[in-house]
Amino acid sequence: MDLLANLGLGFDAAFTVANLGYCFVGVTLGTLIGVLPGLGPVATIAMLLPITYGLQPLSALIMLAGIYYGAQYGGSTSAILVNLPGESSSVVTCLDGYAMARKGRAGAALGVAALGSFFAGTVATVAIAVLAAPLSALALKFGPAEYFSLMVLGLVAAIVLANGSLIKAIAMTVLGLLLGLVGTDVNSGAERFSFGIPELSDGFGFVVVSMGLFGIAEIIANLEKGERRDIFATTVGGVWPSRDDFRATWKPVLRGTFLGSLLGVLPGGGAILSSFAAYTLEKKLAKDPSRFGQGAIEGVAAPESANNAGAQTSFIPLLTLGIPPNAVMALMVGAMMIHGIVPGPQVMTERPELFWGLIASMWIGNGLLVLLNLPLIGLWVRLLKVPYRLLYPAILLFCCVGVYSVNSSALEVAFTVAFGLLGYLFIKLRCEPAPLLLGFVLGPLMEENLRRALLLARGDATVFFTRPLSLGLLLATAALVVILVLPNVRRTRDVAFQED
């Protein structure tokens, strides 16, 4: 009954004209940036963070969340029609989705992707609603030692699950932790690494770092790419799958939903890992694996269901523990802090209308996405023909205006450009910036909880090992480190990195 009462509170909060409007804006923008190759949800949310200053906290979170899971829907459209993933989690959809389009079955592929995504998003939102209360109750038992150990586990897990070189993933995480040290020490009041620059007395702004690394860097990198887009299917035809299609895809959709819901909770996992794992699982279970890559509809249904489920359940550690499992959730932490909300289990008790309103908005958003994706396929096809050279000047101007509007500081705009150039360098060096952002967000929180735990224990460092929950989290971290250094795991990562 408590769950139903809480959901009722959430729907009351979400079903206002303003919040419904921002939900619609969020999922529409998410679909749009998912359809257009080159921009992803991380860059878009980073660009839109300054706008959230003038919004109510719930409205801001509803809009940003809609952008994230909306991009998972939109990414399948360009993957199927153009063979270009509009969003990184839609990479595997290209394999069979584009092959279906070449066989004249683009409509069926798009329909299965949209309906599978809707089902997975709905089920994953139920999982969030059911698990939120018990996990928050568990999190209330956490002290500073447990939070420190949990954040260490999160960073190590992000390194384990990051793409590419292990050394580079570690280096990016450490660099993020170092950037988080810039600013005023909370205990002594002394400035650290500010070099006498007044704007750095509070450290680098979250908007500055995120917009530079993900927004401007992506724009520079996209300018290098060719603009040739072969849209194979300009007329899609019927998007409602046939009875045979439903019969072939209902099991892959269920498996993808289950797998994505589990992997979405993991730090560094989310939508990308979920879609790859679901595709691999379907290929292994198939009676004829050779069909995959040739237009197997299961190769569209499973990953599209998994990436949406993973996108939704990645909110669980954010809402219940205050720990961001991926770069998008780190941006959501930034949006909450902008409004003076400390992420964690206390949000459920202190701001229940915000907590349950966000969950309720996900059901509303998933319904809106089906309405947007199926009837408006023709519009998305036309948008795919817009040259990127016409888009990037407006995006760049929007970035600079947004950063300047936060503190009216021209120097922060310069810092954003510098981080953009640094992000472009990372792209050229094939260093994934997501671990850096996680380190930047979690670093100050780790330091604060480390100091608080040691102060309460009067300098006794064994407090991290004598408290059962903290010890369990550290043992899980040690297990991940052991997995990480296993020769076959490192060899697999190196091979995947070289082939990328």
Side-chain angles (χ1 to χ4, degrees), residues 11-100:
F11 277 107
D12 283 341
F15 261 111
T16 64
V17 175
N19 288 337
L20 287 174
Y22 284 114
C23 183
F24 179 79
V25 169
V27 296
T28 304
L29 278 174
T31 303
L32 177 62
I33 60 104
V35 168
L36 294 175
L39 276 178
V42 179
T44 305
I45 293 174
M47 294 175 200
L48 291 177
L49 276 180
I51 292 178
T52 64
Y53 279 82
L55 301 181
Q56 292 296 319
L58 179 57
S59 299
L61 294 178
I62 285 174
M63 183 181 72
L64 297 180
I67 290 171
Y68 181 38
Y69 57 81
Q72 314 307 320
Y73 275 76
S76 62
T77 302
S78 57
I80 292 168
L81 298 181
V82 196
N83 202 28
L84 283 174
E87 216 282 313
S88 53
S89 61
S90 298
V91 169
V92 292
T93 307
C94 292
L95 300 176
D96 287 282
Y98 188 64
M100 287 183 67

Side-chain angles (χ1 to χ4, degrees), residues 223-265:
L223 291 175
E224 285 189 338
K225 300 175 183 176
E227 288 202 45
R228 185 171 179 270
R229 300 175 187 171
D230 295 324
I231 302 178
F232 189 81
T234 54
T235 56
V236 175
V239 294
W240 193 257
S242 66
R243 184 177 298 180
D244 290 338
D245 292 333
F246 278 115
R247 192 178 296 114
T249 56
W250 71 271
K251 288 183 180 178
V253 166
L254 287 177
R255 286 191 289 261
T257 301
F258 177 75
L259 191 59
S261 298
L262 289 179
L263 296 178
V265 181

Side-chain angles (χ1 to χ4, degrees), residues 149-439:
S149 301
L150 179 64
M151 291 174 191
V152 172
L153 173 63
L155 287 179
V156 172
I159 293 171
V160 172
L161 296 172
N163 297 321
S165 167
L166 171 63
I167 300 299
K168 290 180 180 179
I170 295 173
M172 295 296 283
T173 304
V174 172
L175 180 57
L177 293 172
L178 292 175
L179 287 173
L181 293 176
V182 177
T184 303
D185 184 278
V186 292
N187 283 1
S188 66
E191 292 188 5
R192 304 181 298 189
F193 310 111
S194 63
F195 303 102
I197 302 173
E199 285 82 356
L200 290 182
S201 59
D202 291 329
F204 288 108
F206 182 81
V207 174
V208 170
V209 175
S210 58
M211 194 177 290
L213 287 177
F214 293 97
I216 293 179
E218 284 294 323
I219 292 171
I220 299 172
N222 288 330
L223 291 175
E224 285 189 338
K225 300 175 183 176
E227 288 202 45
R228 185 171 179 270
R229 300 175 187 171
D230 295 324
I231 302 178
F232 189 81
T234 54
T235 56
V236 175
V239 294
W240 193 257
S242 66
R243 184 177 298 180
D244 290 338
D245 292 333
F246 278 115
R247 192 178 296 114
T249 56
W250 71 271
K251 288 183 180 178
V253 166
L254 287 177
R255 286 191 289 261
T257 301
F258 177 75
L259 191 59
S261 298
L262 289 179
L263 296 178
V265 181
L266 298 178
I272 302 174
L273 180 63
S274 301
S275 61
F276 276 89
Y279 188 85
T280 303
L281 176 64
E282 290 306 314
K283 195 171 181 179
K284 288 184 179 296
L285 293 176
K287 295 179 180 178
D288 182 14
S290 64
R291 292 173 51 248
F292 284 76
Q294 307 298 320
I297 197 168
E298 301 95 316
V300 175
E304 285 300 311
S305 302
N307 65 29
N308 276 272
Q312 305 272 8
T313 56
S314 61
F315 283 88
I316 291 177
L318 170 70
L319 294 175
T320 58
L321 302 174
I323 303 298
N326 54 50
V328 174
M329 293 301 108
L331 293 171
M332 296 291 288
V333 169
M336 296 175 79
M337 290 180 172
I338 284 172
H339 290 278
I341 302 168
V342 179
Q346 67 276 8
V347 175
M348 178 182 283
T349 54
E350 296 175 4
R351 305 287 295 272
E353 74 288 344
L354 179 112
F355 185 94
W356 292 103
L358 178 59
I359 292 175
S361 74
M362 294 180 187
W363 272 303
I364 300 169
N366 275 286
L368 290 174
L369 280 165
V370 173
L371 299 178
L372 281 171
N373 277 268
L374 293 181
L376 299 181
I377 290 295
L379 174 62
W380 305 132
V381 170
R382 286 193 290 273
L383 282 173
L384 282 169
K385 299 176 182 179
V386 177
Y388 189 71
R389 67 178 182 275
L390 301 180
L391 297 175
Y392 85 85
I395 297 171
L396 195 58
L397 176 64
F398 184 81
C399 288
C400 294
V401 171
V403 172
Y404 185 80
S405 66
V406 175
N407 292 314
S408 300
S409 171
L411 185 59
E412 289 195 348
V413 177
F415 283 148
T416 305
V417 173
F419 275 109
L421 296 174
L422 182 64
Y424 174 67
L425 178 64
F426 290 152
I427 292 173
K428 300 302 287 184
L429 296 176
R430 302 171 78 184
C431 297
E432 190 178 359
L436 186 153
L437 190 64
L438 289 175

